[in-house]
Amino acid sequence: MAPLAFVSTSFQSPLRLALAAAFSLVCVAAEAKGDAWASCRAADPDKRIEGCGEVIARGDKETKPNRVAAYVNRGGAYHAKGDFERALADFDKALEIDPSSSVVLADRAAAYRAKGDFDHAIADYDKLLVAQPKSAAAYLGRGGAYQGKGDLDKAIADYDKTLELDKKSAAALAGRGRAWRAKGDLDHALADFDAAIKLEPKSAQAYLNRAALYQAKGDLDHALADYDKAIASDGKLAIAYNNRGLTLHAKGDFDRAVADFSKAVGLDPKYARAYLNRANAYRGKHDLEHAKPDLEQALTLDPNLAAAKKGLDEVTKQLAARAAAAPAQ
């Protein structure tokens, strides 16, 4: 029999905000080499899917705990690839084998959250909390699911409970801060973001949260300072450059805004709103020739982006008027 270390999964939201449901998972069986288990434990999702598939195909030749572990690891790999349907199918299979596994329930809840199926996620977190009423991670996960649903009061209550159980949960502070911000309570939000940064002073996401709050308050200088810190902590976050570009645009610094939006689309070529934002910065510079292709690219990436449609119509008309007014050669 070969060994298996479970590979746990965690969830991060679409606005680029980290709320992980982390549970410790246990290795089973004795050490062995040279078979599918090594691949089933691999960090690379594709390799893990292949290896775990081989293990699962062995059926009853593997022990029940090992079969559960193989489904969990493969489900985690599918989750990492964004294939939530297959991830959920694997977690369902694991729960058929071991219906009492809190580990599998936690991973399934996280996959439901990532898929945007918040009601099923909440149901799984409810079950977890019956089994583990003092699980800070379960309250944290359920708070994120409530927040995804837009039930901000229940989200805040779960983040409160998380912090009662784990006073150093920066994720709970960040989540609660975002919930306060969504409710329009910017003072409570700022206090939570400040506290999160004290706990994790090198976290790019923590600075992004606070920067966005300052931006909402119209405090552009503090927003810029926090975006600078976020980028210094992690220079590969396209959203950080995009949002700093928006702040620079608001200050009328179109050249630096264009540079930041260019960096954002360089890091994420499918970032439709960054193309839209760069087009708007070019328009601020009266550079319609560069604005038009950016608006076209934004619409290619997101045909439903209404602001890009409107902007492209306006720029096309302005360019036509300019051409009509130009003296004949």
Side-chain angles (χ1 to χ4, degrees), residues 9-10 20 29 56 71 74 82 85 115 128 155 161 216 251 266 313:
T9 61
S10 61
I56 289 166
Y71 276 116
R74 191 174 72 174
E85 294 299 337
K115 183 187 173 188
L128 274 171
K161 189 65 178 179
K251 288 174 70 71
D313 287 343

Side-chain angles (χ1 to χ4, degrees), residues 41-255:
R41 295 193 309 270
D44 178 72
D46 291 321
K47 188 173 182 181
R48 204 187 323 164
I49 288 166
E50 181 181 358
C52 293
E54 291 182 35
V55 172
I56 289 166
R58 295 172 185 168
D60 292 342
K61 292 179 182 178
E62 287 291 343
T63 65
K64 181 190 282 189
N66 275 7
R67 288 182 358 244
V68 171
Y71 276 116
V72 168
N73 280 16
R74 191 174 72 174
Y78 281 131
H79 185 154
K81 287 171 66 70
D83 190 342
F84 303 121
E85 294 299 337
R86 283 190 173 132
L88 289 166
D90 274 354
F91 297 141
D92 287 345
K93 284 286 189 182
L95 284 168
E96 286 176 17
I97 299 168
D98 184 2
S100 65
S101 173
S102 293
V103 163
V104 184
L105 201 58
D107 280 347
R108 190 174 72 175
Y112 275 130
R113 281 184 58 202
K115 183 187 173 188
D117 187 343
F118 301 117
D119 288 329
H120 277 100
I122 289 165
D124 276 353
Y125 286 124
D126 287 345
K127 292 174 186 175
L128 274 171
L129 286 165
V130 169
Q132 301 178 356
K134 293 187 177 181
S135 170
Y139 279 110
L140 177 64
R142 192 174 69 176
Y146 277 128
Q147 190 164 0
K149 257 188 95 165
D151 195 336
L152 301 177
D153 290 330
K154 285 184 178 178
I156 288 169
D158 272 355
Y159 293 136
D160 288 344
K161 189 65 178 179
T162 304
L163 289 162
E164 286 177 22
L165 295 165
D166 180 4
K167 292 181 174 58
K168 294 185 178 181
S169 176
L173 287 165
R176 191 173 68 179
R178 288 191 295 271
W180 283 124
R181 181 187 165 194
K183 283 173 65 73
D185 190 336
L186 302 187
D187 291 334
H188 272 102
L190 181 58
D192 275 348
F193 293 149
D194 286 344
I197 286 171
K198 285 181 181 178
L199 288 171
E200 294 186 347
K202 294 183 180 180
S203 168
Q205 186 60 57
Y207 286 111
L208 280 178
N209 286 332
R210 194 172 69 178
L213 177 67
Y214 280 132
Q215 204 167 356
K217 286 168 69 78
D219 188 342
L220 301 182
D221 290 332
H222 277 103
L224 279 176
D226 273 353
Y227 285 131
D228 288 346
K229 290 174 183 176
I231 289 167
S233 294
D234 186 348
K236 295 183 179 180
L237 291 175
I239 192 172
Y241 287 101
N242 178 74
N243 289 5
R244 190 174 70 177
L246 288 170
T247 308
L248 290 165
H249 188 154
K251 288 174 70 71
D253 193 339
F254 300 121
D255 288 329

